[in-house]
Amino acid sequence: MSRFIRLLFRSVTYTRWLHLCIPVLVYAVWLFTFPSGPMVLVPFLFPLLLGLVPSVRTAEGLQARLMLVREERDAPHPSITVGPATSWTDRLRTVLWLETRAVLAVATAFATVRLPLLAVDLVRVAGGSAPGEDFLSPVTGPRWLYGALAPLPLLALPVVIMGLGGLVTAVARRLLGPSAAERLAALEARTELLLEHNRIARELHDSIGHALTIVVVQAGAARAAGDGEFTARALAAIEETGRAAMDDLERVLTVLRASGGRNGPRPTLGEADHLLESARASGAPVDAVISGALDTVPGPVSREGYRILQEALTNVLRHCGPVPVQVNVTVVDRSLEMEVTNPLSATISRTRGGSGLRGIHERAALLGGEARSGPHEEGWKVRVQLPLDGIR
C-alpha cells in the first residue's frame, strides 16, 4: 500500500501516462484530417513503416528515456539507448515497440475516458436519472448501491494507469535497450576509459612523486651541508625539477579535461640522461651503462621504459636516500632490459611493497614484459624486461 502511495505522488507516473497518450493524439489528428479514411493505417501500418527508419529509434529512445525512466537520465549505463538503428534486428525491434505502444495507447485511452464516464453514470443512476447509452447493464436493484459503487472506477483509474505505465516501461527496456553490439561497444569504451585513468594515475605518481622526492632530498641536503655553493646548486636542481613536474602535471590535466587539444610529447628513454642527472644532483652517485640502439625502441616501450626507470630511481631516493646506484639499460635480442641496483640503508625494510613497485609491474605487464624486484646480495634490485616485437 505504501508503495502505491509513493507511486501516486511520483512525477514519472504522470509522464508515463502522457507518453501512453501521445499515439492517441496522432490517431486523433488522422481522424480529423481524413474522417472517412481507413482507420487501420494509424495503429498498424504507420508503425510498420516508421519503425524501419533508423532515426525513429533515436526519437523513441529519447522520449522513453525522458518520460518513462526519468530516474535513469544520469545513470552511467542507461537501460534505454538513443542511437539510431544500425541493423535489421534493431529496426524490427523498433517496429515491435511501435506496435506495442499503439496497443497500450488504445488501452490507456479507453481507461482514461471510460472509467470517469462510468463513475458519472453511476452517480446519475443513484440520483434517479437515466444512465448513458454505453452503460454496462440495465438499472436494477436499489439505486443507492450505484452511488456506493461510483468511487470505484475513479480509484481503479490510477491503478490501471500505473500498471500500464510499468508495462510500457518494461517493454521499452526490452525493445529499446542496447543490443548485443551496443553493449559490447559500451563495455569496450568503459574499459578504455578505465585503462586511461589507470595510466594517468601512474603518470601522476611517477612524475610528480619523482619531482617531490628530488625536492625533498635536495632541500634536506642543502640544509645539512651549510655550504652556499652547494645550496645554490640544490636550488637550481629544485627549480628545474619543479618546472618539469609542472609540465607533466599540465599535460595530464589536459587529458583529464578532455579539451581536445594536442598533448605535449611524453618523455622517452632518449631523455634518460635528465633522470640520471637529477638523481646525481640529489647527491646519489649514479653509475649508468646504456648500450644498444635506443632509437630503435618503439615509442610505447620507450615511454613506459622512461617511467619505469624514473620510478625505480625515485624509490631509491625516497627509501634509501643518496646511496650509490647502478643503472644498466640494454637493447639486445629484440628486447629492452633495465636494471637498477642499490644498497639498502640501515632503516630500509627488505619486504616488497608500495604503489611504485606495483606501478612498475603493471607497466611491464601491459607491454607483455616482466618485472622483478627484491633483495639482491646486500642491496635491492629492480629488473625489467620488455619485448620489442609486435610493438609499434
Side-chain angles (χ1 to χ4, degrees):
M1 186 63 180
S2 60
R3 184 165 181 259
F4 172 79
I5 298 298
R6 287 197 304 270
L7 287 174
L8 189 62
F9 289 97
R10 288 180 61 188
S11 60
V12 71
T13 299
Y14 301 97
T15 57
R16 289 173 178 176
W17 190 1
L18 178 60
H19 182 273
L20 286 165
C21 292
I22 290 177
V24 180
L25 299 178
V26 178
Y27 186 57
V29 171
W30 171 265
L31 291 180
F32 180 80
T33 307
F34 305 101
S36 58
M39 298 183 181
V40 73
L41 288 179
V42 172
F44 298 107
L45 186 56
F46 276 7
L48 179 61
L49 297 177
L50 290 175
L52 299 179
V53 180
S55 59
V56 171
R57 186 174 181 82
T58 300
E60 291 296 319
L62 288 172
Q63 287 186 55
R65 186 181 292 186
L66 178 64
M67 304 178 74
L68 300 182
V69 290
R70 298 180 62 185
E71 68 276 10
E72 295 184 0
R73 283 185 295 178
D74 299 326
H77 304 289
S79 58
I80 295 177
T81 60
V82 294
T86 58
S87 64
W88 280 105
T89 301
D90 289 342
R91 291 184 176 90
L92 294 178
R93 292 172 68 197
T94 306
V95 170
L96 184 57
W97 156 252
L98 292 174
E99 297 288 359
T100 304
R101 185 180 179 184
V103 172
L104 294 178
V106 172
T108 302
F110 180 83
T112 302
V113 174
R114 288 300 303 156
L115 290 177
L117 289 179
L118 178 58
V120 171
D121 283 340
L122 290 173
V123 171
R124 293 177 60 186
V125 171
S129 301
E133 296 180 357
D134 297 331
F135 196 61
L136 298 179
S137 64
V139 178
T140 58
R143 290 182 176 267
W144 63 265
L145 182 60
Y146 290 90
L149 296 176
L152 293 182
L154 297 179
L155 294 176
L157 179 59
V159 176
V160 173
I161 295 302
M162 284 188 284
L164 291 172
L167 179 59
V168 74
T169 303
V171 174
R173 288 194 175 103
R174 180 70 176 176
L175 297 179
L176 296 180
S179 63
E182 291 170 331
R183 286 194 295 269
L184 180 59
L187 181 60
E188 290 177 348
R190 177 65 175 169
T191 302
E192 289 294 330
L193 181 62
L194 291 176
L195 289 175
E196 181 64 14
H197 285 180
N198 193 27
R199 186 187 67 80
I200 291 173
R202 289 196 304 269
E203 289 281 325
L204 282 175
H205 176 272
D206 293 349
S207 61
I208 306 304
H210 174 77
L212 291 177
T213 300
I214 295 296
V215 168
V216 170
V217 173
Q218 289 279 9
R223 184 180 61 178
D227 183 350
E229 184 179 352
F230 181 84
T231 300
R233 290 199 306 270
L235 290 176
I238 289 174
E239 180 182 7
E240 182 182 355
T241 303
R243 292 183 185 278
M246 289 175 61
D247 292 340
D248 280 343
L249 181 61
E250 181 61 29
R251 177 177 52 79
V252 173
L253 291 179
T254 301
V255 175
L256 288 175
R257 295 190 200 104
S259 61
R262 295 190 61 181
N263 303 321
R266 295 169 56 194
T268 64
L269 281 176
E271 305 170 54
D273 289 341
H274 296 300
L275 287 178
L276 302 177
E277 290 301 324
S278 178
R280 292 188 182 107
S282 299
V286 179
D287 182 14
V289 177
I290 300 178
S291 59
L294 288 180
D295 56 347
T296 63
V297 178
V301 178
S302 187
R303 289 190 291 268
E304 295 303 315
Y306 178 93
R307 291 305 186 193
I308 290 173
L309 179 59
Q310 183 182 54
E311 182 56 34
L313 292 173
T314 301
N315 283 342
V316 174
L317 294 172
R318 180 183 296 133
H319 298 296
C320 299
V323 298
V325 183
Q326 176 66 45
V327 176
N328 293 305
V329 179
T330 305
V331 179
V332 61
D333 295 333
R334 299 302 300 164
S335 69
L336 172 65
E337 298 180 359
M338 295 187 295
E339 291 184 356
V340 178
T341 308
N342 63 278
L344 293 175
S345 64
T347 58
I348 193 66
S349 171
R350 289 175 177 263
T351 58
R352 176 185 172 185
S355 58
L357 290 177
R358 184 171 63 249
I360 290 176
H361 286 262
E362 288 177 354
R363 289 181 184 275
L366 286 175
L367 294 174
E370 181 183 15
R372 296 180 180 179
S373 58
H376 175 71
E377 296 179 354
E378 295 300 323
W380 187 274
K381 174 184 283 190
V382 175
R383 186 178 188 277
V384 178
Q385 184 176 15
L386 303 177
L388 307 184
D389 295 332
I391 303 294
R392 287 173 170 71

